[in-house]
Amino acid sequence: VKLVESGGGSVQSGGSLRISCTASSPTIGYTYSRYSMGWFRQTPGKEREGVAAIGRDGSTVYADSVKGRFVISRDVAKATLYLQMNGLKPEDTATYYCAARGEPLKTLEARLYKNWGQGTQVTVSS
């Protein structure tokens, strides 16, 4: 599965942004539904951090740092994953990556994902 993120940009503190991650081929709609997926972020010199994940059954899990502010969702028909980010803070500034794995359970463990997008930059200014 090839993944392409979009929607990153710059926003002021307290603002909102929605980023998307689309599979490269719409013909994989059936296969796409079998994947669990996640959003991760990384800043220079730091390890990639799990932000949110969604299981095959649609259940979700969030990092404590974004709980109550971010919402992960997916549109299987469009083979697209979303991350709605509200109440953004300067510490949310990072490159955001989406990832997919062919297992049903959601997880924030980056090492368990095999497919990654190229990343999209999100910058939050104070």
Side-chain angles (χ1 to χ4, degrees), residues 1-5 21-23 35 37-42 47-52 95-101 107-120:
V1 171
K2 182 178 180 181
L3 306 171
V4 179
E5 299 96 337
C21 170
T22 302
Y35 285 84
M37 302 193 70
W39 285 103
F40 297 80
R41 64 187 182 188
Q42 190 171 24
E47 290 188 359
R48 196 162 294 189
E49 171 193 20
V51 174
T95 300
Y96 283 72
Y97 300 88
C98 70
R101 69 190 204 116
T107 178
L108 295 178
E109 292 284 342
R111 62 182 178 84
L112 297 178
Y113 288 83
K114 292 185 177 180
N115 301 285
W116 292 86
Q118 83 290 347
T120 186

Side-chain angles (χ1 to χ4, degrees), residues 16-110:
S16 297
L17 205 59
R18 188 179 78 162
I19 55 178
S20 303
C21 170
T22 302
S24 60
S25 171
T27 60
I28 69 164
Y30 173 75
T31 303
Y32 181 83
S33 67
R34 299 170 65 84
Y35 285 84
S36 57
M37 302 193 70
W39 285 103
F40 297 80
R41 64 187 182 188
Q42 190 171 24
T43 54
K46 293 189 176 181
E47 290 188 359
R48 196 162 294 189
E49 171 193 20
V51 174
I54 186 166
R56 188 185 297 176
D57 63 355
S59 61
T60 58
V61 61
Y62 297 91
D64 288 343
S65 58
V66 306
K67 202 171 294 183
R69 299 189 297 124
F70 290 11
V71 178
I72 186 173
S73 63
R74 64 193 299 176
D75 185 329
V76 174
K78 296 182 179 179
T80 300
L81 180 74
Y82 302 100
L83 185 67
Q84 177 67 44
M85 302 181 288
N86 302 318
L88 283 162
K89 305 175 182 179
E91 51 263 44
D92 294 319
T93 295
T95 300
Y96 283 72
Y97 300 88
C98 70
R101 69 190 204 116
E103 299 291 337
L105 300 179
K106 58 189 180 290
T107 178
L108 295 178
E109 292 284 342

